[in-house]
């Protein structure tokens, strides 16, 4: 398909790291599905510093298929960074993300696009019949999913499924770093996205190996803690820091009152006893004002930052 003068409608973004046996097959299957749709498209394969022949194969594929774009990282920066680079480069009005190991099925893409047409901004895949190991994969993933959903208040069965479709306006605003690709629906929700899910196919990995192990579950939980703070207090950080500040000042007042009582009622109070209370009064007063100042500063950042419009219009 010659797309030089056509506006790209669909961008498919795929991070790949040491997937030499998968990339050619993957490209073939994605292109078949998108050719049948008949809309101008591009497939962006982001090579996340592969050390096998992945990049050479991608270059060969690019010669034969101009709609295939390649981004190459100098090193292995991780799936989130690779996806972020692909999203930034994507020109399509609709951006589809998927894994490069053929576990996701490109044949699901048309149904995801139809779902977007129903008025959604994000369609997340749900691997209802997941083909991974039960103990090492499915169970930790189910627990992580429950946790993520309760913390982020996004109700999905399978936030970890990479196959997702987004409207450009939403995904371009989502800032991915660290390992945040697992929380894209939550990050999209912050941007005001309407989110739904769709049951998709899932296949066992035929070639290559998974790049993750069980320790990922712990990293997910750590990220979740940060995200919790981010989501709940993003619009009005003063509410979060202010409460801690007020609590500290209240504690300082109690210690101050205790010190005065001690002075009036017990003239024999030792200097050491008074010193302890005085230190606590100073400590809590200082911390209290410190937290209030952080809250005010954070509010200022939100109100003057580049996301001002979204947050202010949402909080009305
Ligand atoms: N991946 C990547 N960089 C990494 C790890 C993984 O680009 O550091 C890619 C990988 O090639 C695959 C996708 O991210 O296309 C998902 O990885 P994997 O299949 O290993 O994850 P799993 O399916 O086991 O959760
Ligand atoms: Mg996989």
């Amino acid at each position: 398909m010659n797309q030089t003068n056509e506006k790209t409608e669909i961008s498919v973004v795929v991070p790949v790291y040491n997937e030499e046996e998968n990339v050619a097959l993957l490209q073939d299957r994605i292109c078949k599905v998108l050719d049948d749709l008949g809309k101008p498209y591009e497939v962006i394969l982001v090579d996340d510093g592969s050390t096998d022949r992945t990049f050479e194969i991608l270059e060969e594929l690019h010669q034969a298929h101009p709609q295939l774009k390649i981004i190459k990282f100098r090193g292995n920066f991780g799936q989130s960074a690779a996806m972020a680079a692909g999203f930034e480069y994507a020109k399509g009005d609709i951006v589809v993300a998927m894994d490069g190991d053929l576990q996701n099925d490109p044949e699901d893409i048309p149904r995801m696009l139809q779902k977007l047409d129903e008025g959604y901004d994000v369609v997340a895949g749900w691997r209802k019949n997941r083909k991974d190991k039960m103990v090492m994969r499915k169970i930790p993933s189910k627990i992580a999913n429950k946790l993520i959903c309760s913390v982020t208040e996004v109700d999905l069965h399978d936030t970890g499924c990479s196959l997702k479709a987004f409207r450009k306006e939403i995904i371009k605003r989502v800032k991915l770093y660290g390992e945040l690709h697992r929380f894209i629906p939550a990050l999209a929700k912050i941007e005001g996205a309407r989110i739904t899910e769709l049951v998709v196919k899932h296949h066992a990995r035929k070639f290559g190996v998974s790049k993750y192990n069980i320790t990922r579950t712990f990293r997910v939980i750590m990220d979740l803690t940060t995200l919790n703070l981010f989501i709940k207090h993003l619009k009005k950080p003063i509410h979060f820091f202010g409460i801690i500040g007020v609590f500290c000042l209240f504690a300082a007042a109690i210690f101050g009152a205790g010190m005065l009582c001690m002075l009036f009622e017990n003239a024999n109070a030792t200097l050491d006893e008074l010193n302890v209370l005085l230190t606590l009064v100073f400590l809590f007063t200082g911390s209290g004002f410190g937290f209030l100042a952080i809250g005010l500063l954070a509010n200022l950042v939100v109100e003057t930052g580049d996301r001002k419009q979204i947050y202010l219009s949402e909080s009305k």
Side-chain angles (χ1 to χ4, degrees), residues 1-13 34-44 67 69 89-97 109 112-114 116-117 164-169 171-172:
M1 189 184 292
N2 181 5
Q3 301 183 13
T4 38
N5 294 320
E6 285 176 301
K7 191 181 174 309
T8 308
E9 282 187 38
I10 304 164
S11 301
V12 180
V13 172
L34 295 182
D35 282 338
D36 285 351
L37 271 180
K39 293 180 177 170
Y41 69 89
E42 62 181 359
V43 181
I44 304 168
Q67 65 273 55
K69 316 275 165 67
Y89 185 87
K91 295 186 179 60
D93 297 328
I94 287 166
V95 180
V96 176
I109 295 176
M112 300 197 97
L113 303 187
Q114 273 170 17
L116 279 181
D117 280 345
K164 291 188 175 82
F166 310 93
R167 281 187 196 288
K168 175 173 79 181
E169 304 80 51
I171 200 62
K172 292 275 179 191

Side-chain angles (χ1 to χ4, degrees), residues 147-163:
L147 266 173
I148 292 171
C149 287
S150 67
V151 168
T152 62
E153 292 166 11
V154 177
D155 206 10
L156 291 177
H157 285 91
D158 188 11
T159 52
C161 178
S162 296
L163 181 56

Side-chain angles (χ1 to χ4, degrees), residues 15-17 19 48 76 78-79 82 99-101 103 137 205 209-212 216:
V16 283
Y17 177 52
E19 304 285 2
D48 184 19
N76 177 226
Q79 195 177 340
D99 280 351
D101 57 356
Q103 289 203 262
R137 279 298 159 87
R205 214 188 223 278
V209 289
S210 169
K211 312 300 179 295
Y212 299 102
R216 142 167 81 182

Side-chain angles (χ1 to χ4, degrees), residues 227-284:
L227 202 66
N228 182 25
L229 195 75
F230 201 56
I231 289 173
K232 296 229 163 91
H233 309 292
L234 196 61
K235 287 176 212 149
K236 278 273 168 219
I238 185 74
H239 288 178
F240 175 70
F241 292 106
I243 284 176
I244 306 179
V246 168
F247 176 80
C248 287
L249 291 177
F250 185 65
I254 290 179
F255 289 126
M259 200 177 79
L260 288 179
C261 285
M262 201 180 261
L263 269 177
F264 286 124
E265 281 181 11
N266 179 10
N268 299 328
T270 65
L271 209 56
D272 275 353
E273 282 169 336
L274 287 174
N275 262 348
V276 170
L277 284 174
L278 196 62
T279 310
L280 287 171
V281 171
F282 275 120
L283 192 74
F284 278 94

Side-chain angles (χ1 to χ4, degrees), residues 213-229:
N213 53 36
I214 189 81
T215 60
R216 142 167 81 182
T217 312
F218 300 107
R219 294 199 302 273
V220 168
I221 291 168
M222 295 311 288
D223 284 345
L224 200 57
T225 326
T226 326
L227 202 66
N228 182 25
L229 195 75

